[in-house]
Amino acid sequence: MSIQGISPKLPLIYDQKDGPYKLIKIYKEAIAQDFKNLVLTNPGERIMDPDFGVGVKRFLFETRETFYFQFPGTLNKQVERYMPFVRVVNVDFSPTADQITLEDWQDPHVISIKINYEILPLSVTDTLFINNI
């Protein structure tokens, strides 16, 4: 049984090799998991830190223009505060503002987000995809 790891892999999975739970052993993977948690967690949801989290789903009932404008700023503020070793490179939305009116777009009520970010100490870039929110 190996107990060396950075953090438990979410969702928690029993693993005989690592011990009670499967562990993340690569820094890039641990940071990617933490970044995803930051984006998906709603402010007030984390115990003892009500300011933590971007809360992407709380933007769902905003207009697209408001969402496209406010989300990147909120994301950057949260990353600056909770993950200063990460730099958000780019945030892309699908559909983009010019695709909203296309007649062949399948579902105009669905947004997907692609966030490119850099892990500064590792000099590595990664991408988080959030599909169909």
Side-chain angles (χ1 to χ4, degrees):
M1 176 171 84
S2 170
I3 58 170
Q4 294 184 355
I6 300 167
S7 65
K9 185 172 178 68
L10 298 176
L12 296 176
I13 301 169
Y14 181 75
D15 186 60
Q16 289 181 346
K17 180 181 167 193
D18 287 338
Y21 301 110
K22 187 168 184 72
L23 298 174
I24 294 175
K25 299 175 183 166
I26 300 168
Y27 285 110
K28 180 182 174 186
E29 189 178 343
I31 292 169
Q33 178 176 281
D34 292 346
F35 187 77
K36 182 178 180 181
N37 283 335
L38 180 69
V39 172
L40 296 178
T41 301
N42 291 315
E45 190 174 359
R46 188 170 192 172
I47 297 172
M48 302 298 288
D49 193 353
D51 297 327
F52 179 86
V54 175
V56 68
K57 290 189 179 186
R58 70 189 171 125
F59 290 98
L60 289 179
F61 298 101
E62 299 292 338
T63 63
R64 284 187 189 268
E65 293 78 19
T66 301
F67 181 73
Y68 290 165
F69 180 73
Q70 287 184 354
F71 177 78
T74 303
L75 173 66
N76 283 319
K77 285 179 188 174
Q78 287 290 309
V79 168
E80 224 174 78
R81 180 172 179 183
Y82 292 102
M83 300 182 79
F85 50 89
V86 170
R87 182 178 66 90
V88 175
V89 176
N90 192 24
V91 179
D92 288 325
F93 299 97
S94 180
T96 59
D98 58 340
Q99 292 174 325
I100 293 171
T101 59
L102 292 178
E103 294 173 12
D104 60 343
W105 181 252
Q106 297 297 321
D107 191 351
H109 305 292
V110 174
I111 296 177
S112 294
I113 306 170
K114 181 173 98 172
I115 305 169
N116 297 316
Y117 61 96
E118 180 181 6
I119 303 167
L120 299 173
L122 302 178
S123 297
V124 173
T125 58
D126 202 359
T127 303
L128 171 64
F129 294 98
I130 303 172
N131 293 315
N132 303 328
I133 58 168

